[in-house]
Amino acid sequence: MASIFTFEPEPPRVASPWLTPTDTPKSSTPTLQSKERGTSSVNSPDLLSDYGVTRLEAEPQEGPTEYKLHLLLRPRRNYSSSSTGSLASSSQQNKQQSSSQATHEAGPILAPSNQSRQHRLEQLTTQLLWRLQQSAPYHASVTGDLVLPKLPEAASSLETPTRPGKLLAGLEESRGALYEIGVSDDGTFVGLTKDEMDESLTNLKAMAASLGCNVEVVRMVVVGDCEWQEPAVAINNFAGRGKKRSLVSNGQMTPLRRQAQLWVAEALITPDLSSRKHQMPVGSPFIPNNEPLPLTSMSAQIEEYPERIHETTEQLRITLTGPTTSGKSSLLGTLTTATLDNGRGKSRLSLLKHRHEIASGVTSSVTQELIGYSRHEVVNFASGNVSSWTDIHASAEDGRLVLVCDSAGHPRYRRTTVRGLVGWAPHWTALCIAADDSENAPSGAGGTSSAQDILGTAGAGIDLAKAHLELCLKLDKPLVIVITKLDLASKASLRQTLSKILTAVKGLGRVPAIIPPDQSKTVVESDLSSIPESDGVAVQRTIDQMTNSYGLTSIVPIIMTSAAKGTGIRSMHALLSRLPIPPTPTSHDYSGPVLNPEQPACLFHIEDIFGVPASHEPLTIKGTATVDSGVVIAGHMRFGRLSVGDTVVIGPFPAEGDEEDSSPTKFGARSSPNSFGTSLGHPSTTELSRIASRNMVSASVAKGEWHHAHIVSLRNLRLPIHSLEAGQVGTIGIVFDLPDEKEVSNDPFERPRPTAPRVRKGMVVAIPSRHMVETGHTLQAASGFTASFEDGDVNSVTPGSLVVVYIASVRATARVLRVSPHDDQDTVARLADDMDDIFSLDKPPEKEEPLIFGSDGVTDLTFELITNREWIELGSQILVMPGGGHGLYYGSERGEKGVAGLEGFVGKVIEVVD
């Protein structure tokens, strides 16, 4: 429950039970492993003696293998004798046949009603879907898009479909399923006649086609003979009149005796991956990664996107932040599991991802959890029949889904704290402040620790809650303040905490709105499954006040809760189910089309990377030796739409020829918790010049900076989907379009086989716009930019200093080149001249001019990216944090450098240099 993406690294493999027979001498009787698949036919059938088996292993309860006596939509015929009858006497089907045979021996087969046949067809199809999902690395019960085959009213059977339908979302990663037809659950061979087997296979192909899958008959084996009787009706050809007559003897009808062979079939059902292949011109050579895609291959993707499909289920993203020991994880645990806390972290145990978090009680990573709301009901893991996110999707249909991200609060994990605020593009921020935060010492179990308790003597006099509050207000995002641990605070402490919050909120011109706390004296866990009408009415008044204001940021709701007593938890659910959702983002939210004409058609920010294969297609295609060249990434959709099968570009990567100069951090290597992800804290002047010169290469000539790939899978909040819409978060499985692998040569000068590039956080996935394709332009990566700030304290940042910048999913080290008053007439040429000046290292330093404010007190800062070139959108928000040194306290030791405060500067990008 602790990640936005769950993955089973070793799903069950599709293994034929014919290769692992039971009660069979394995050494003396070889199996038919060398035979070609699907070569068995009526003219050259396989015999049971060829395999040396008498039965198969019993059907596994779980896994991708299914045993079926038949797949008929009608009762099978009754045999008067069968060579497999004694072997099948233990099966339930034969017991039913025996009883039926005693009463209707030699009688006609009664056709079932059309309703019962359709019901059986739907049951068989959903059973096939479940078996296919068993071989997928992610088991998801997705039936919302399931299109069940319909049996025509007048038809007695189905017809073989000409081609599979649309592949059901989530099945693209399935390795397939095996069906053993004519076999009982205990592995006994029962068999079917040829006409019944053909009808069963036709039904199987129709069911598979409705799921977007193909059926391949692996083997057909004769297992015995049978005999049955049927009424004798023949055509009197002798009379030449074409009339039907019955063979009558002594006034009684003489039944005809029929004999036939009994067959057992093994069928492999696999996803049809041809429908979602990326479209490339037929017969065209591989397109180098530094060249634009041809217009013919992108025309279907760069059309103007139609209006977004109406989503019946709303999706809200909210980030929990606040100082350590403020009760964030405990609050989230109570919201998602309806478990009251015991003061020692009982409710948060299901959220922690690492062992050291359980031991220390300090969250160090970002945790995502999903909560659903359907009218007045809360859908979480305490609800009935809910064990995964997909169950929450199904139960909250036509309601609301709320993705809650819990971030770290300890100063040691400042990077994680800031990423939780800036990354994943949250709609709302929920700042958790403990009600007993004003007290000097914890007032019992679960009490809030002060900064001095956390940081030692260096934290004396520091208010961590105030630092988080000021940063949240600076970001100017919709904000909710949650006062936690209400049961531990005294009236005096609660009054001081509220006074601090109200002063800070009103100081920036926002209006606080306190939601009255729950008046219930006792709240039990069973009460947390629904939202009382009284709580909904109290919250709705605040929402109405927010709707009638000038924006979502003008009103700051304040709610009081206790995860131990349950106070305010139902009010919190009422608030989450009613918070307004900002409009769907577009490509022109930050700037108009005239100012930023080279926007791609769609843009996806990469927030996380998973070390799992993007597709199991090589394992489902027979005879392939292709190695997966993809990766699974997670992030949020900035604008546009991505669909399975789309051809995309990913980057920016280091330009070709720069890899040998790259540091481990350049490829997204993990750094130590006490560092800022870069080894350039105090680089030499020569090294700074070398890195800067490498990043100054123009994007128009940077070879290998953008790579082509195609999408093989999509998930939105763990739910397999076909398309990811603007404003949604999810995971994408991508496979890079590498050149065709040629035969390996022994020539020592032969170029090595191409490998997939390494993706890192902060990159983007995009589809170029029509204008970009027609003009041959590529996406422009930035090596520097200029941002404007209204905070007067930004003048404390001096030219030449190193800072850490946060822009969307980008977290990068940058060097300040210039601090100047804002001038609307400045051009990008001035920025380029400033970046050229950094190489004039031999010139004597010029006399510093006194800093002055620009128009309306706005100051411009020019930055140079140190490590990588990044995609930076013009007009996007930027957060600048000091890169070390003076933070929460004046530390000089190396180990203390990573412990810094949350004092940052928020601005807007106004110029970008490629």
Side-chain angles (χ1 to χ4, degrees):
M1 297 195 307
S3 172
I4 197 174
F5 180 82
T6 56
F7 190 84
E8 177 63 37
E10 288 296 333
R13 292 183 176 272
V14 183
S16 173
W18 288 82
L19 304 182
T20 57
T22 61
D23 301 334
T24 303
K26 300 180 181 179
S27 58
S28 59
T29 55
T31 60
L32 297 183
Q33 300 182 25
S34 60
K35 284 196 172 185
E36 291 290 334
R37 280 182 172 181
T39 57
S40 301
S41 63
V42 179
N43 298 327
S44 58
D46 291 343
L47 301 177
L48 192 59
S49 58
D50 297 336
Y51 290 87
V53 300
T54 58
R55 58 180 295 175
L56 301 179
E57 292 182 344
E59 179 191 57
Q61 294 297 322
E62 296 182 354
T65 304
E66 176 71 24
Y67 293 0
K68 302 298 292 186
L69 284 175
H70 65 85
L71 292 173
L72 303 175
L73 304 181
R74 55 174 176 81
R76 58 177 299 186
R77 63 170 55 94
N78 301 317
Y79 302 139
S80 57
S81 64
S82 172
S83 61
T84 62
S86 59
L87 296 176
S89 60
S90 61
S91 67
Q92 182 180 2
Q93 178 71 16
N94 266 341
K95 290 180 181 180
Q96 296 175 355
Q97 290 177 6
S98 299
S99 61
S100 176
Q101 184 175 344
T103 56
H104 299 287
E105 184 174 1
I109 300 176
L110 299 178
S113 64
N114 191 76
Q115 182 178 3
S116 62
R117 289 186 297 132
Q118 179 64 34
H119 180 66
R120 172 168 168 78
L121 180 61
E122 294 178 359
Q123 286 183 325
L124 292 174
T125 304
T126 54
Q127 186 181 46
L128 172 60
L129 172 62
W130 187 82
R131 288 294 184 185
L132 287 168
Q133 291 171 340
Q134 288 294 296
S135 65
Y138 180 84
H139 297 185
S141 301
V142 184
T143 58
D145 297 332
L146 179 60
V147 181
L148 296 172
K150 294 294 183 182
L151 188 66
E153 293 288 341
S156 59
S157 61
L158 295 174
E159 296 181 356
T160 303
T162 56
R163 57 171 299 174
K166 184 178 181 180
L167 184 63
L168 191 67
L171 290 185
E172 62 274 353
E173 296 179 359
S174 173
R175 303 183 183 183
L178 272 178
Y179 264 56
E180 307 294 337
I181 306 175
V183 182
S184 62
D185 291 344
D186 61 358
T188 302
F189 296 126
V190 177
L192 293 172
T193 58
K194 188 62 173 61
D195 61 327
E196 291 178 331
M197 180 61 72
D198 291 341
E199 187 176 345
S200 295
L201 290 174
T202 299
N203 294 340
L204 179 61
K205 292 177 181 178
M207 295 186 300
S210 68
L211 302 177
C213 298
N214 296 315
V215 176
E216 177 187 7
V217 179
V218 180
R219 68 187 89 242
M220 293 270 292
V221 182
V222 176
V223 296
D225 301 299
C226 68
E227 183 178 298
W228 73 96
Q229 295 177 346
E230 61 184 24
V233 178
I235 298 178
N236 189 0
N237 293 327
F238 181 77
R241 297 178 183 179
K243 295 183 179 181
K244 293 183 179 181
R245 66 179 179 86
S246 300
L247 299 180
V248 181
S249 176
N250 298 326
Q252 295 182 353
M253 179 178 293
T254 303
L256 293 179
R257 180 176 297 179
R258 301 291 187 184
Q259 294 180 346
Q261 292 178 321
L262 290 174
W263 295 75
V264 169
E266 182 180 64
L268 175 64
I269 302 94
T270 54
D272 180 34
L273 303 177
S274 60
S275 60
R276 60 122 175 95
K277 292 283 187 182
H278 58 292
Q279 300 294 326
M280 294 294 291
V282 178
S284 64
F286 174 76
I287 305 172
N289 279 318
N290 61 313
E291 297 182 5
L293 287 174
L295 181 61
T296 55
S297 66
M298 300 290 291
S299 58
Q301 300 175 209
I302 59 179
E303 296 289 345
E304 291 295 330
Y305 283 96
E307 293 185 3
R308 182 178 177 179
I309 301 175
H310 177 66
E311 296 286 345
T312 58
T313 305
E314 299 177 340
Q315 294 187 10
L316 174 72
R317 292 191 303 278
I318 186 168
T319 292
L320 285 181
T321 188
T324 185
T325 70
S326 62
K328 301 183 300 297
S329 301
S330 298
L331 173 64
L332 181 57
T334 301
L335 291 173
T336 56
T337 64
T339 301
L340 295 179
D341 194 61
N342 60 354
R344 294 176 176 84
K346 173 185 175 182
S347 62
R348 70 184 180 195
L349 291 179
S350 60
L351 307 179
L352 303 180
K353 301 166 64 174
H354 305 290
R355 183 176 299 177
H356 69 85
E357 292 180 330
I358 300 176
S360 64
V362 177
T363 304
S364 62
S365 58
V366 176
T367 302
Q368 294 96 1
E369 281 300 334
L370 189 65
I371 308 174
Y373 297 97
S374 179
R375 296 183 179 178
H376 298 291
E377 298 297 321
V378 180
V379 183
N380 53 22
F381 290 101
S383 306
N385 299 324
V386 172
S387 60
S388 64
W389 284 21
T390 52
D391 297 332
I392 297 178
H393 277 274
S395 301
E397 189 175 2
D398 298 332
R400 170 176 284 196
L401 294 172
V402 179
L403 176 67
V404 186
C405 299
D406 178 28
S407 59
H410 197 284
R412 183 189 312 162
Y413 307 114
R414 184 188 72 163
R415 293 181 302 168
T416 305
T417 301
V418 179
R419 271 194 179 276
L421 291 171
V422 180
W424 298 100
H427 298 135
W428 285 80
T429 301
L431 173 62
C432 294
I433 299 178
D436 61 340
D437 182 74
S438 300
E439 298 181 2
N440 295 327
S443 57
T448 305
S449 302
S450 63
Q452 188 170 355
D453 297 331
I454 300 171
L455 302 174
T457 56
I462 296 177
D463 193 340
L464 294 178
K466 184 179 179 181
H468 281 82
L469 176 59
E470 291 178 348
L471 179 59
C472 291
L473 293 174
K474 284 181 180 179
L475 290 173
D476 198 27
K477 298 290 182 65
L479 177 65
V480 174
I481 298 179
V482 182
I483 298 178
T484 60
K485 303 183 181 182
L486 190 61
D487 57 304
L488 297 179
S490 61
K491 292 184 179 180
S493 177
L494 179 60
R495 188 180 298 108
Q496 293 180 17
T497 302
L498 279 174
S499 176
K500 175 175 59 178
I501 294 174
L502 296 177
T503 301
V505 171
K506 293 179 180 179
L508 290 181
R510 299 197 189 186
V511 180
I514 300 179
I515 298 176
D518 192 351
Q519 300 298 328
S520 301
K521 294 183 178 180
T522 58
V523 179
V524 296
E525 293 181 349
S526 59
D527 296 335
L528 304 180
S529 60
S530 61
I531 303 174
E533 184 178 357
S534 58
D535 291 340
V537 172
V539 170
Q540 190 60 45
R541 286 197 293 265
T542 304
I543 300 300
D544 294 340
Q545 182 183 1
M546 190 180 306
T547 304
N548 298 327
S549 62
Y550 296 100
L552 298 182
T553 59
S554 59
I555 306 295
V556 179
I558 301 176
I559 189 169
M560 304 179 191
T561 64
S562 171
K565 300 296 183 180
T567 306
I569 299 300
R570 292 178 294 183
S571 298
M572 188 70 185
H573 280 303
L575 183 63
L576 293 178
S577 64
R578 289 171 169 80
L579 281 177
I581 300 178
T584 303
T586 66
S587 59
H588 305 313
D589 291 340
Y590 297 155
S591 60
V594 178
L595 297 178
N596 202 358
E598 295 302 336
Q599 285 283 67
C602 67
L603 186 70
F604 179 89
H605 287 283
I606 299 177
E607 302 279 359
D608 208 349
I609 302 102
F610 299 94
V612 295
S615 172
H616 289 278
E617 178 179 349
L619 299 177
T620 60
I621 299 179
K622 178 178 60 179
T624 182
T626 305
V627 179
D628 180 52
S629 59
V631 67
V632 176
I633 58 178
H636 70 276
M637 196 74 191
R638 167 69 180 88
F639 55 81
R641 178 189 302 162
L642 288 176
S643 302
V644 175
D646 282 350
T647 300
V648 297
V649 292
I650 307 174
F653 292 93
E656 292 185 7
D658 293 339
E659 286 81 356
E660 62 274 10
D661 297 331
S662 303
S663 62
T665 305
K666 186 171 183 175
F667 291 95
R670 295 185 179 274
S671 54
S672 63
N674 291 329
S675 69
F676 289 95
T678 176
S679 59
L680 301 177
H682 299 281
S684 63
T685 305
T686 304
E687 188 172 1
L688 274 176
S689 302
R690 179 179 60 83
I691 296 176
S693 62
R694 184 185 67 221
N695 290 338
M696 284 291 291
V697 182
S698 174
S700 59
V701 297
K703 187 177 181 181
E705 193 170 42
W706 299 94
H707 286 258
H708 300 152
H710 61 277
I711 298 175
V712 296
S713 64
L714 284 171
R715 283 187 174 84
N716 170 230
L717 302 177
R718 299 184 188 173
L719 183 72
I721 55 175
H722 286 293
S723 297
L724 191 66
E725 303 288 344
Q728 293 183 341
V729 299
T731 54
I732 304 178
I734 56 174
V735 175
F736 288 95
D737 299 335
L738 301 177
D740 295 334
E741 298 180 1
K742 299 181 180 179
E743 296 183 1
V744 180
S745 174
N746 296 326
D747 188 357
F749 299 101
E750 186 76 16
R751 295 190 64 180
R753 179 177 299 176
T755 58
R758 188 168 183 177
V759 182
R760 59 176 174 82
K761 298 178 183 179
M763 290 184 175
V764 296
V765 177
I767 295 180
S769 63
R770 172 173 291 277
H771 178 266
M772 296 174 67
V773 174
E774 291 176 348
T775 58
H777 287 85
T778 60
L779 274 72
Q780 302 293 311
S783 58
F785 60 93
T786 298
S788 62
F789 300 84
E790 296 182 1
D791 190 348
D793 293 337
V794 75
N795 289 280
S796 61
V797 179
T798 58
S801 60
L802 294 180
V803 296
V804 180
V805 296
Y806 294 85
I807 307 174
S809 62
V810 175
R811 177 196 169 275
T813 303
R815 181 171 181 249
V816 180
L817 298 182
R818 178 173 175 172
V819 179
S820 61
H822 177 70
D823 186 359
D824 294 333
Q825 303 299 323
D826 286 351
T827 60
V828 181
R830 187 205 65 191
L831 174 61
D833 294 340
D834 291 341
M835 299 189 71
D836 290 338
D837 292 341
I838 66 171
F839 302 107
S840 304
L841 302 176
D842 297 333
K843 293 183 179 180
E846 298 179 359
K847 183 178 180 180
E848 294 185 1
E849 299 179 359
L851 296 177
I852 57 173
F853 291 116
S855 57
D856 298 328
V858 180
T859 305
D860 293 346
L861 268 68
T862 302
F863 301 93
E864 170 203 11
L865 296 177
I866 296 297
T867 309
N868 297 294
R869 292 159 56 85
E870 305 286 357
W871 165 265
I872 298 177
E873 190 174 356
L874 191 65
S876 55
Q877 187 183 67
I878 177 176
L879 173 62
V880 178
M881 307 290 286
H886 303 322
L888 284 176
Y889 59 92
Y890 292 82
S892 58
E893 298 181 6
R894 183 176 180 84
E896 296 175 340
K897 181 183 176 183
V899 183
L902 298 175
E903 301 84 359
F905 310 102
V906 179
K908 184 176 71 172
V909 177
I910 60 174
E911 293 177 351
V912 175
V913 170
D914 59 357

